[in-house]
Amino acid sequence: MIKAAFFDVDGTIVSFKDHKLIPSAIEAINKLKEKNIKVFVATGRALFQLDYILDNLKLDGLVTLNGCNSFIDSEEIFRAHLHKDDLYRLYEYLEKNNNPFSCNLITKNNIYINAFTKEVLDMYREFNITVPKIVNFKEYINKNYSDILQINLFVNKEKEEELMKEIFINSEATRWADSFADINCKGITKITGVLKIIEHFNIDISETIAFGDGGNDFTMIQNVGIGVAMGNANEHLKEVADYITDNVDDDGVYKALKHFNIIE
């Protein structure tokens, strides 16, 4: 019996076409709530980037920043910041190489960036995400390193692999978009947040279902009771999923919940 459902946001309940909630996903989530099934989002976004979601869905909690910051209702129950040595190596590298790429620092309540490119600005506008404030990374990190929960690196896969070896020794990278990688504390992923939340409600992992489409959903989809990959998910995720549903824009969430007779 399913007692808790976890939903990735972008590409799962929010369309990549217009970046709005899928109406059928809203309907499905409302039906889950009517059956007293707990509902959560599990996303790479930070809490302050989820106002639109919170305004339109009745949620019991959130897994944000790929598991590094989790909430029951509005109460924070878990956070994991990036290792200070990795952050120090980052600003030294950026200073030495004259900001060779854009990257940002993300806290629960804000986002800061070292430099903009047109492509990065376009990405923020496309996803309807608050455009970050430019700050001096050395000054900000030295004063606030324990608040930094995630970094977005706007580099290709090859450069990401190089930086993970040289700079982010205590961190790990995942991708849900081609233009950037999420950098989080090593060993912390979405399943970390899922486990923190179900422990709070005394729910067994076998009583959970989760939906996702990106690389940052891998551990969640692999470990929950029923892991559902969207039709638009990457192939690696589909390989570990228990079920592959239709695309986000073709009512994939609603159809999968009906397939498993969780909603009517």
Side-chain angles (χ1 to χ4, degrees), residues 16-234:
F16 278 127
K17 292 181 179 178
D18 60 11
H19 305 287
K20 294 182 179 180
L21 279 162
I22 300 295
S24 64
I26 298 175
E27 182 182 356
I29 287 171
N30 288 338
K31 288 187 175 185
L32 292 176
K33 296 293 292 180
E34 290 171 3
K35 298 184 71 171
N36 294 317
I37 295 172
K38 301 291 185 184
V39 177
F40 309 90
V41 297
T43 177
R45 295 194 189 203
L47 179 64
F48 75 94
Q49 298 170 325
L50 295 170
D51 289 347
Y52 167 66
I53 303 297
L54 295 171
D55 288 344
N56 287 278
L57 296 176
K58 295 178 181 179
L59 300 174
D60 296 287
L62 307 98
V63 176
T64 70
L65 295 172
N66 297 319
C68 289
N69 206 198
S70 295
F71 303 84
I72 301 296
D73 294 324
S74 58
E75 178 186 355
E76 182 181 78
I77 63 167
F78 179 74
R79 72 156 52 195
H81 64 78
L82 286 160
H83 198 286
K84 63 181 179 180
D85 290 347
D86 290 9
L87 294 168
Y88 292 163
R89 278 190 290 269
L90 173 63
Y91 75 62
E92 289 170 356
Y93 181 95
L94 293 174
E95 284 191 340
K96 180 180 178 182
N97 294 281
N98 194 29
N99 284 322
F101 51 80
S102 293
C103 62
N104 60 38
L105 309 174
I106 305 177
T107 71
K108 178 173 71 173
N109 297 315
N110 221 322
I111 184 169
Y112 306 95
I113 199 163
N114 63 325
F116 282 117
T117 65
K118 181 182 182 300
E119 290 75 18
V120 170
L121 273 174
D122 289 344
M123 186 279 298
Y124 280 110
R125 290 165 180 155
E126 178 187 353
F127 283 98
N128 196 26
I129 295 174
T130 304
V131 176
K133 176 183 177 182
I134 294 178
V135 296
N136 181 291
F137 270 24
K138 183 174 183 178
E139 293 178 3
Y140 186 84
I141 289 170
N142 280 329
K143 293 178 181 178
N144 305 282
Y145 74 84
S146 63
D147 291 331
I148 301 168
L149 307 181
Q150 182 170 292
I151 287 171
N152 295 142
L153 284 179
F154 294 92
V155 297
N156 60 28
K157 185 67 176 177
E158 291 72 26
K159 188 63 176 181
E160 170 202 320
E161 292 173 356
E162 173 191 326
L163 295 171
M164 295 309 296
K165 292 177 182 177
E166 294 181 4
I167 295 174
F168 297 107
I169 297 169
N170 303 289
S171 308
E172 57 186 67
T174 54
R175 281 182 183 256
W176 57 270
D178 293 335
S179 55
F180 63 89
D182 290 341
I183 309 299
N184 297 101
C185 179
K186 185 175 286 186
I188 306 297
T189 65
K190 285 189 180 183
I191 194 61
T192 308
V194 170
L195 292 172
K196 294 289 182 182
I197 282 176
I198 64 173
E199 179 183 7
H200 176 90
F201 288 105
N202 196 30
I203 295 171
D204 190 80
I205 193 68
S206 64
E207 299 170 315
T208 61
I209 186 170
F211 293 75
D213 72 305
N216 60 342
D217 297 310
F218 186 90
T219 60
M220 179 173 71
I221 298 303
Q222 186 180 40
N223 288 286
V224 294
I226 301 174
V228 180
M230 304 301 291
N232 47 280
N234 66 51

Side-chain angles (χ1 to χ4, degrees), residues 12 210-213 221 226-247 252 256:
T12 299
F211 293 75
D213 72 305
I221 298 303
I226 301 174
V228 180
M230 304 301 291
N232 47 280
N234 66 51
E235 293 304 314
H236 190 42
L237 190 69
K238 289 179 178 178
E239 289 173 1
V240 301
D242 298 298
Y243 182 72
I244 301 169
T245 188
D246 278 345
N247 288 4

